[in-house]
Amino acid sequence: MPLTLDTYRTLGRSGLRVSPLALGTATFGTEWGWGAGRDDAHKLFDAYVERGGNLIDTAGTYTEGSSERMLGGFIRDRREELVIATKYSTLRRPGDPNSGGAHRKSMFGSVEDSLRRLGTDHIDLLFLHVWDFLTPVEEVLRGLDDLVRQGKVLYVAMSNVPAWQVSRMQAIADLRGWSPLVALQIEYSLINRGAERDLIPMARAMGLGVTPYSPLGGGVLTGKYGRADLAAEGAGPEESGRKRFNAGLGMVTERTLAIADAVREVAAELGRTPAQVALAWTLQAPGVTAPVVGARTPEQLKGNLDALEVDLTADQVARLDEVSAIDPGYPHDMLASDHIRAVTAGAMRIESH
């Protein structure tokens, strides 16, 4: 059966109900050279919420704070029906080393700034945005727990953190009775399946709902890139700033374009757009709760949301899996080998349930 935005899913091992697609608001504001002004951003917000969507993703430093400020105005009359997720740890004031990072001072300052911009007294879901490799995990966890106890944050989560640190934090939180992590936000798409090695299996084992960002691979999976974009110079001055940015990051390669070609073939078979097929693949991936989708126009957003109606066949999923497959790396490839299976189980067939 096709999904809808009001086909709610519980987030990780919490009872929080969220839509199967989250609205990303990094496009709310034009400070980064692309995005939507206030009127267009309001239309995007209304289009998402009116279809039953309730999970809205932002961050304190998206578009220099404009994303949260705009969102604060939009949510004023319907705050309680929405799940607002924001993030902390990216630098808020250049030159001030304590305005960024995972530590307690950065955490509390960022949350206060977000509450002020959003015009609310609590954040539903707070992500640590980027791990800093400096702050002790106990400091992070105790700070997050204090915010929950104060009622300023309801649920806590991680983004862009190594799997071993997240699993360690979840174990410590459980042992000490601190607020558990309920979600993990990671980059994940057909062109970047690296999270399948450790992050997604860890999230499933530890009870974290996965909310992938960049499920369209920076636009590569929409089909807007071609062989002319294989070098950053291929995105000429007439191209959008974001397209030049993604090409410059090395997201456009022979491999990713081959994956985009396969997505385009499946889309033609289904009478859908490549973006809808790429999102549908992410939606059916094990462990995924709610991919984060953004847009600059209501038409783009509607197209992305219509991915909920796409039903990929087993053959189509297998073809997309094959063209985008990654090397699992050590120890996963070794542990999956017939030799290791033989020395641990012999000829017996053993399945987990």
Side-chain angles (χ1 to χ4, degrees), residues 35-46:
R38 177 172 291 275
D39 290 345
D40 287 337
H42 205 163
K43 292 176 184 176
L44 293 170
F45 172 85
D46 287 343

Side-chain angles (χ1 to χ4, degrees), residues 47-124:
Y48 175 78
V49 173
E50 287 168 5
R51 284 181 62 163
N54 74 341
L55 179 56
I56 301 179
D57 182 88
T58 186
T61 52
Y62 282 174
T63 53
E64 316 304 329
S66 286
S67 174
E68 284 190 337
R69 281 189 290 270
M70 287 187 189
L71 194 55
F74 303 160
I75 68 175
R76 187 168 295 122
D77 296 330
R78 53 203 325 167
R79 172 67 184 93
E80 282 307 307
E81 66 192 71
L82 301 173
V83 177
I84 305 300
T86 193
K87 310 176 189 74
Y88 91 96
S89 78
T90 50
L91 199 68
R92 291 173 290 131
R93 293 182 299 277
D96 178 359
N98 286 316
S99 70
H103 56 89
R104 189 181 184 96
K105 182 174 176 64
S106 167
M107 179 191 303
F108 278 66
S110 180
V111 165
E112 293 297 336
D113 285 349
S114 290
L115 290 173
R116 192 176 308 114
R117 283 190 291 263
L118 289 166
T120 186
D121 62 358
H122 69 278
I123 293 162
D124 297 302

Side-chain angles (χ1 to χ4, degrees), residues 34 187 191 213-214 217-218 220 225 229-233 235 241-253 256:
W34 47 268
E187 182 177 353
I191 71 165
Y213 67 86
S214 199
V220 174
Y225 292 88
D229 297 303
L230 283 172
E233 293 79 14
R242 194 174 193 187
K243 184 173 182 180
R244 291 170 59 84
F245 176 76
N246 288 331
L249 282 177
M251 298 179 75
V252 184
T253 66
T256 61

